[in-house]
């Protein structure tokens, strides 16, 4: 059985406990616009590792001739296995959107070591991509002076970022089998026992089919993940007979009438669709077909890409301290075959520096 589909129990890393109130977490998640990338564990943990070198500690940038292959070490724990999480990145001076680096994952190819060039976000233009499962475009927007073309989209909204995927599936995929969330190839750091349990409990109310695991340090199965069926968790979903044109200011409106069945006629709004697909039985009755065009908008008001912080309950969590040398991913995959529909990496320059002993503000 696919480990991502095995269940929804969580294994938490026990870090410094924090006081927390579940109702406050729930209120903030419900009032906010929490979104996600997507995906789950992309293998058994026994797949080939990315290189054999251990992590850097206090090292600076590696001095080599200036080329696109010039690299800097990623800060991560030593002696961890990686099946698709790189140990080096291009020098930040080569990143077109420094301090951010966005690129396709090597998992879009069959060659796990293929080098992927950075994508440029400043123009707000979409990026075409193709996998064995999906062919389409990705648009990543974030509320920043570095991307002025997206300003009209964020005007009057609490959102900090939006990722839009649009295109067609290359083969049919059952709704219950297309998963979205976050995946990691080794353990991530918990924000504390109380906070973790309250946060996961709150998310499971919003995403009742959530399956998650945080790998404890030293666990031979390095993988950690948070994943749910895409059709139940995505903020906006549009199904059309014609391609959907992406632009920096475009707003994706919910329209699922072409799914037929209970969605025919007047259709459902996004809240009704999420509630309907919170039932696995309802998910199993639908498939993503190859003839229609699907558009998904994942947005949130919790993660600030520029500062690389996640905000919740008045606290700001520095992501580099919790990701432990791994990217935030924008991904979705079919659990039956482990094929990725899409998989993009988002890195921050802070991840190429030492973690230090800072405390969260």
């Amino acid at each position: 059985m696919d480990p991502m589909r095995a269940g929804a129990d969580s294994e938490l890393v026990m870090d410094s406990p924090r006081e927390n109130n579940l109702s406050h977490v729930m209120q903030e998640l419900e009032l906010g616009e929490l979104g996600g990338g997507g995906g789950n564990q992309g293998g058994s943990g026994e797949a080939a590792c990315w290189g054999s070198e251990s992590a850097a500690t206090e090292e600076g940038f590696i001095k080599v001739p200036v080329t696109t292959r010039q690299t800097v070490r990623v800060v991560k724990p030593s002696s961890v296995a990686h099946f698709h999480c790189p140990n080096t990145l291009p020098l930040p001076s080569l990143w077109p959107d420094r301090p951010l680096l966005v690129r396709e994952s090597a998992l879009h190819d069959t060659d796990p070591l293929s080098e992927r060039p950075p994508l440029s976000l400043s123009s707000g233009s979409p990026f075409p991509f193709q996998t064995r499962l999906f062919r389409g475009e990705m648009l990543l927007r974030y509320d920043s002076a570095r991307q002025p073309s997206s300003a009209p989209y964020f005007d009057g909204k609490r959102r900090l970022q939006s990722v839009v995927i649009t295109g067609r599936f290359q083969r049919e995929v059952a709704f219950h089998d297309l998963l979205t969330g976050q995946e990691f190839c080794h353990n991530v750091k918990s924000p504390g026992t109380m906070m973790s349990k309250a946060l996961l409990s709150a998310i499971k109310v919003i995403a009742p089919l959530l399956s998650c695991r945080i790998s404890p340090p030293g666990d031979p199965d390095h993988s950690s993940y948070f994943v749910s069926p895409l059709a139940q968790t995505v903020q906006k979903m549009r199904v059309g007979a014609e391609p959907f044109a992406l632009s920096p200011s475009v707003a994706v409106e919910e329209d699922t009438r072409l799914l037929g069945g209970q969605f025919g006629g007047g259709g459902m709004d996004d809240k009704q669709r999420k509630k309907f697909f919170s039932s696995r039985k309802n998910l199993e009755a639908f498939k993503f077909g190859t003839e229609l065009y699907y558009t998904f908008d994942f947005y949130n008001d919790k993660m600030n890409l520029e500062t690389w912080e996640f905000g919740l309950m008045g606290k700001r969590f520095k992501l580099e301290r919790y990701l432990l040398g791994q990217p935030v991913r924008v991904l979705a995959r079919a659990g039956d075959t482990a094929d990725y529909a899409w998989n993009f990496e988002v890195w921050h320059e802070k991840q190429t520096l030492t973690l230090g002993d800072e405390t969260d503000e």
Side-chain angles (χ1 to χ4, degrees):
M1 177 183 293
D2 186 336
M4 291 307 299
R5 306 295 300 281
D9 52 313
S10 308
E11 300 179 42
L12 301 176
V13 179
M14 300 306 181
D15 194 41
S16 56
R18 301 175 188 265
E19 294 297 325
N20 184 43
N21 185 306
L22 176 59
S23 63
H24 290 170
V25 178
M26 275 299 304
Q27 183 179 31
E28 183 161 352
L29 290 175
E30 289 175 345
L31 293 177
E33 299 176 323
L34 183 64
N40 63 349
Q41 183 203 357
S44 65
E46 300 176 351
C49 298
W50 272 80
S52 59
E53 297 181 343
S54 61
T57 55
E58 301 292 332
E59 297 182 23
F61 295 162
I62 299 172
K63 295 182 179 180
V64 295
V66 179
T67 70
T68 57
R69 292 182 179 272
Q70 188 172 0
T71 61
V72 63
R73 292 286 185 85
V74 176
V75 178
K76 62 181 64 180
S78 59
S79 303
V80 294
H82 299 275
F83 59 88
H84 67 274
C85 186
N87 289 318
T88 62
L89 296 171
L91 275 179
S93 60
L94 302 175
W95 299 4
D97 298 286
R98 187 177 184 179
L100 294 178
L101 170 67
V102 180
R103 64 182 184 179
E104 290 185 69
S105 168
L107 291 182
H108 277 188
D109 284 340
T110 56
D111 177 7
L113 298 180
S114 63
E115 183 184 74
R116 287 288 181 169
L119 303 176
S120 178
L121 305 177
S122 59
S123 67
S125 299
F127 307 104
F129 70 93
Q130 181 173 349
T131 67
R132 288 189 292 267
L133 193 57
F134 194 87
R135 180 175 183 175
E137 296 181 315
M138 186 273 279
L139 174 66
L140 191 156
R141 301 177 284 195
Y142 63 116
D143 192 8
S144 169
R146 300 173 185 271
Q147 198 184 59
S149 58
S150 296
Y153 170 79
F154 291 102
D155 187 32
K157 299 182 179 70
R158 296 173 55 186
R159 301 171 195 175
L160 296 175
Q161 60 166 297
S162 162
V163 178
V164 183
I165 303 288
T166 188
R168 301 170 79 175
F169 286 87
Q170 308 265 46
R171 65 172 176 83
E172 287 190 347
V173 182
F175 271 31
H176 70 87
D177 207 44
L178 189 69
L179 308 174
T180 187
Q182 287 294 321
E183 66 174 11
F184 307 96
C185 53
H186 64 73
N187 61 291
V188 292
K189 183 178 179 180
S190 167
T193 306
M194 296 298 291
M195 176 67 82
S196 297
K197 289 183 177 179
L199 180 59
L200 289 174
S201 296
I203 292 176
K204 284 183 179 180
V205 174
I206 299 172
L209 300 180
L210 174 73
S211 180
C212 56
R213 180 179 189 271
I214 300 179
S215 173
D219 191 321
D221 181 0
H222 301 279
S223 64
S224 298
Y225 51 80
F226 307 85
V227 61
S228 296
L230 182 148
Q232 197 275 319
T233 54
V234 67
Q235 279 69 27
K236 297 292 182 181
M237 179 172 166
R238 183 183 186 278
V239 185
E242 301 294 333
F244 184 75
L246 296 184
S247 68
S249 60
V250 70
V252 179
E253 301 295 340
E254 185 82 10
D255 187 350
T256 52
R257 290 171 294 176
L258 290 183
L259 292 178
Q262 293 89 331
F263 292 86
M268 299 186 189
D269 61 24
D270 54 327
K271 293 182 176 61
Q272 292 171 326
R273 183 251 305 163
K274 291 179 181 181
K275 181 177 181 180
F276 180 78
F277 285 131
S278 65
S279 163
R280 185 169 295 277
K281 180 179 179 180
N282 290 339
L283 283 168
E284 292 173 347
F286 289 84
K287 292 183 178 181
F288 293 105
T290 59
E291 300 300 321
L292 297 174
Y293 291 86
Y294 298 87
T295 303
F296 310 102
D297 192 355
F298 303 87
Y299 53 73
N300 77 73
D301 64 350
K302 307 301 181 189
M303 184 183 299
N304 188 315
L305 293 180
E306 284 198 288
T307 63
W308 208 234
E309 293 175 326
F310 187 89
L312 187 66
M313 292 186 64
K315 295 182 179 293
R316 292 180 296 165
F317 298 93
K318 299 178 180 180
L319 290 174
E320 70 272 17
R321 298 188 64 225
Y322 297 93
L323 294 175
L324 301 182
Q326 302 172 93
V328 170
R329 293 186 180 273
V330 177
L331 61 83
R333 59 93 97 174
D336 61 344
T337 62
D339 281 344
Y340 285 88
W342 53 84
N343 190 335
F344 294 88
E345 302 171 1
V346 183
W347 297 85
H348 196 282
E349 185 175 356
K350 290 180 179 180
Q351 294 177 280
T352 67
L353 306 175
T354 56
L355 294 178
D357 296 321
E358 303 92 338
T359 57
D360 292 312
E361 299 176 359

